[in-house]
Amino acid sequence: MSTVPSRPATRWWALAVLALTQLVVVLDTTIVTIALPQAQLEIGMTDIQRQWIVTAYALAFGSLLLLGGRIADYWGRKRTFMVGMIGFGAASAWGGLAQSGIELIIARGVQGAFAAMLAPAALAMVTVMFTHGRERNIAFAIFGTVAGTGAAIGLVLGGVLTEFANWRWCLLVNIFFVIVGLIGGARLLSESKAEGDNRYDIWGTITVILGLGSLVYGFTLAEHGWDSVDTIVFLALGVMLLAVFVWIESRVRQPLLPLHVIVNSVRGGAFLVQAVVGAVMIGSMLYLTFHFQIVMGMSPLVSGLANVVMTVVIMICSPFTTKALNRFGPRPLMILGPLFSAAGLFYLTGITPDGDYFTQVLPALALLGIGLSMLFVPLQNLSLIGVDPEEAGVAAGTVNSTFHIGGSIGLAVFTVIYAGTVGAALKGGADQAAAFTDGYSAAFFASGIAMVAASLIAVFLIRGEKDELMPQWDDEDAVAYAH
């Protein structure tokens, strides 16, 4: 049996279905962001619960992606895709009808769990459908661009739905995407799975989920002080559990995450850069949305549209980025992309309570769009370089996991920085709008520093000639993986 559709045209339609999946799981990271102020008022959420509406999805998604990749490889990629779609739609409906903050947080966590089945199954199928050459680069460029614009599209769509319908439609709209995905998946995708005696790494799964959860929760508690007992305990527990996870993975016969997948310097560098991108896209950009609505007084619709610049720039730049990738290879893009993004974030630190969008924000979003377009296109490819075909599912899960775990940690850390800055400003006599703006600026500055660090990671870890950094599978590999 083969994952690759027999007709070339069908392959590209299948890619459209899989790219739609990537759009939905990334879009749902941000689509509720615009709706959070309205949702908080309607169902009476606290500020901590408001943050966890975003964190619950990203954390569940990131923590379970490795398991999702293994399920896709062992149980069947198409089957995993279809079940993930159904569960994601059901969780979306539950969240859209939620009557309390706790219920909404749980629904968002369930959403993330089923998204963790969808994403690696989709990327693994793309990997084997397009095995080498120009078509592979185009396919990954499309997939990467969709992933890159999904977060921004979520902000725009969330604004439209919140303004003209209700915040609940930011979740209920997923049902329409799910219907399209199920019909397209049933007609265009073929089943495949890894053969042999495949066993799940139960203890590895438990330790990595609890370890990541403890780590993110510990960063969240740091808002009350880095030296508080709870913060120290949960951060230490998270590190300890992740160390146990690494020990388990080095000893089990079929690990959840084969350690050689991440210890390769190029792949490891790509994973680290992806984590920083997740921290910025999920963590700090949330505060730009708050600045639009809370300080600048924009409506949800206008707030969503205010982010369109970054999306448009990413879409315009992606074809040029793809050509640059083919000509120069991924390393220059991975070094320059974070620097352009950092420049945009540092520019945002100049926002003021009475500032103008066109002078204080728009140029920054354009710089961010240029930088992110340079990252999204090569990242997926680099994350799979040198990976054996039978391990493509877990590698795909890892690249998505790093984005969302990075986002969860980034959101927690930037929240601590924001809250500390706001508190200091209020104590110093600043009014609320000025204090909030100072907090947003501090979060953007920290994000810019993180992006500079990402560029340095690329300098030191992503090394090699162009051809060495452009992975290719031959037809024999593709057939082996498909079966």
Side-chain angles (χ1 to χ4, degrees):
M1 101 186 96
S2 174
T3 306
V4 184
S6 57
R7 292 175 297 167
T10 306
R11 264 195 316 165
W12 292 102
W13 280 111
L15 175 64
V17 172
L18 297 173
L20 173 68
T21 303
Q22 185 72 359
L23 172 65
V24 172
V25 298
V26 174
L27 176 150
D28 259 73
T29 306
T30 58
I31 192 170
V32 300
T33 300
I34 295 289
L36 283 178
Q38 188 186 97
Q40 184 176 15
L41 290 174
E42 183 174 321
I43 60 178
M45 290 187 292
T46 66
D47 287 346
I48 294 296
Q49 287 178 330
R50 182 184 68 179
Q51 175 190 332
W52 273 94
I53 300 302
V54 178
T55 301
Y57 179 83
L59 181 57
F61 191 7
S63 299
L64 293 169
L65 270 166
L66 295 175
L67 178 60
R70 278 303 191 217
I71 292 173
D73 285 339
Y74 293 171
W75 193 45
R77 294 154 193 128
K78 178 179 178 179
R79 185 179 298 149
T80 302
F81 175 89
M82 300 297 279
V83 171
M85 269 288 185
I86 294 170
F88 188 85
S92 298
W94 179 19
L97 300 174
Q99 299 300 310
S100 69
I102 296 299
E103 187 180 357
L104 182 55
I105 290 170
I106 295 172
R108 289 282 287 169
V110 175
Q111 256 192 314
F114 281 105
M117 297 177 69
L118 279 173
L123 182 54
M125 286 190 278
V126 172
T127 299
V128 74
M129 280 195 295
F130 301 92
T131 58
H132 57 274
R134 181 172 177 271
E135 284 191 345
R136 178 186 175 94
N137 290 335
I138 293 174
F140 273 103
I142 292 172
F143 208 73
T145 301
V146 168
T149 58
I153 291 172
L155 293 171
V156 176
L157 184 58
V160 172
L161 293 172
T162 304
E163 182 82 8
F164 294 108
N166 184 277
W167 69 267
R168 297 181 181 278
W169 279 101
C170 293
L171 294 164
L172 296 174
V173 70
N174 289 327
I175 296 172
F176 298 103
F177 289 112
V178 166
I179 291 171
V180 173
L182 287 172
I183 294 173
R187 293 178 61 87
L188 297 170
L189 302 177
S190 300
E191 184 58 281
S192 65
K193 64 180 180 179
E195 302 296 342
D197 180 23
N198 298 313
R199 297 180 181 180
Y200 291 102
D201 177 11
I202 301 300
W203 287 110
T205 301
I206 293 172
T207 52
V208 74
I209 291 173
L210 293 179
L212 290 172
S214 297
L215 199 63
V216 172
Y217 188 60
F219 279 118
T220 302
L221 293 175
E223 183 177 352
H224 306 296
W226 290 102
D227 57 349
S228 72
V229 174
D230 289 346
T231 301
I232 294 172
V233 167
F234 276 100
L235 289 177
L237 180 62
V239 171
M240 183 185 70
L241 286 169
L242 291 177
V244 173
F245 168 71
V246 172
W247 180 80
I248 291 172
E249 299 310 277
S250 68
R251 283 161 174 75
V252 297
R253 187 167 63 88
Q254 291 182 302
L256 179 67
L257 175 60
L259 294 182
H260 62 262
V261 170
I262 58 174
V263 296
N264 174 277
S265 65
V266 173
R267 287 196 302 269
F271 293 149
L272 289 173
V273 172
Q274 182 83 318
V276 175
V277 172
V280 171
M281 292 293 290
I282 298 174
S284 73
M285 297 312 290
L286 174 69
Y287 291 105
L288 184 58
T289 299
F290 290 164
H291 180 67
F292 287 158
Q293 293 190 51
I294 297 173
V295 176
M296 299 183 71
M298 293 183 180
S299 68
L301 173 60
V302 175
S303 176
L305 292 174
N307 287 281
V308 167
V309 172
M310 185 169 67
T311 307
V312 171
V313 171
I314 290 173
M315 295 178 69
I316 291 173
C317 290
S318 289
F320 299 100
T321 303
T322 303
K323 291 180 181 179
L325 175 66
N326 291 328
R327 182 173 180 180
F328 302 109
R331 189 168 188 265
L333 300 178
M334 296 293 292
I335 294 172
L336 291 175
L339 295 180
F340 274 96
S341 301
L345 291 162
F346 289 141
Y347 191 97
L348 280 174
T349 62
I351 56 174
T352 59
D354 56 352
D356 178 70
Y357 168 82
F358 292 99
T359 57
Q360 291 193 353
V361 178
L362 190 146
L365 291 179
L367 286 169
L368 272 166
I370 293 170
L372 292 173
S373 73
M374 298 172 77
L375 289 170
F376 289 138
V377 171
L379 263 176
Q380 303 280 4
N381 239 337
L382 283 175
S383 301
L384 295 171
I385 187 171
V387 174
D388 291 335
E390 64 270 15
E391 292 178 340
V394 70
T398 304
V399 66
N400 280 286
S401 180
T402 52
F403 180 90
H404 287 87
I405 292 301
S408 299
I409 294 175
L411 179 56
V413 172
F414 297 145
T415 296
V416 172
I417 294 171
Y418 160 79
T421 304
V422 170
L426 291 173
K427 287 180 180 179
D431 61 35
Q432 193 174 62
F436 286 166
T437 303
D438 287 348
Y440 305 147
S441 296
F444 296 141
F445 182 79
S447 299
I449 294 297
M451 274 296 186
V452 172
S455 180
L456 293 175
I457 289 170
V459 169
F460 291 108
L461 294 183
I462 301 177
R463 292 178 171 273
E465 298 298 324
K466 170 190 168 184
D467 292 340
E468 296 173 339
L469 298 176
M470 301 285 281
Q472 295 184 0
W473 286 359
D474 58 28
D475 293 337
E476 184 178 347
D477 285 335
V479 170
Y481 175 67
H483 290 281

PDB file of all heavy atoms in Angstrom, residues 121 344 361 419:
ATOM      1  N   ALA A 121       0.676  13.491  11.615  1.00  0.00           N
ATOM      2  CA  ALA A 121       0.174  12.634  10.542  1.00  0.00           C
ATOM      3  C   ALA A 121       0.193  13.388   9.214  1.00  0.00           C
ATOM      4  O   ALA A 121       0.599  12.858   8.176  1.00  0.00           O
ATOM      5  CB  ALA A 121      -1.238  12.150  10.864  1.00  0.00           C
ATOM      6  N   GLY A 344      12.012  44.059  14.102  1.00  0.00           N
ATOM      7  CA  GLY A 344      10.604  44.418  14.242  1.00  0.00           C
ATOM      8  C   GLY A 344      10.158  44.471  15.689  1.00  0.00           C
ATOM      9  O   GLY A 344       9.423  45.384  16.096  1.00  0.00           O
ATOM     10  N   VAL A 361       3.559  50.823  14.736  1.00  0.00           N
ATOM     11  CA  VAL A 361       3.308  49.375  14.671  1.00  0.00           C
ATOM     12  C   VAL A 361       3.522  48.797  13.273  1.00  0.00           C
ATOM     13  O   VAL A 361       4.175  47.757  13.114  1.00  0.00           O
ATOM     14  CB  VAL A 361       1.870  49.055  15.146  1.00  0.00           C
ATOM     15  CG1 VAL A 361       1.594  47.555  15.039  1.00  0.00           C
ATOM     16  CG2 VAL A 361       1.662  49.523  16.578  1.00  0.00           C
ATOM     17  N   ALA A 419       3.884  41.475  33.784  1.00  0.00           N
ATOM     18  CA  ALA A 419       3.255  41.777  35.074  1.00  0.00           C
ATOM     19  C   ALA A 419       4.204  42.543  35.991  1.00  0.00           C
ATOM     20  O   ALA A 419       3.796  43.497  36.674  1.00  0.00           O
ATOM     21  CB  ALA A 419       2.799  40.482  35.746  1.00  0.00           C
TER      22      ALA A 419
END
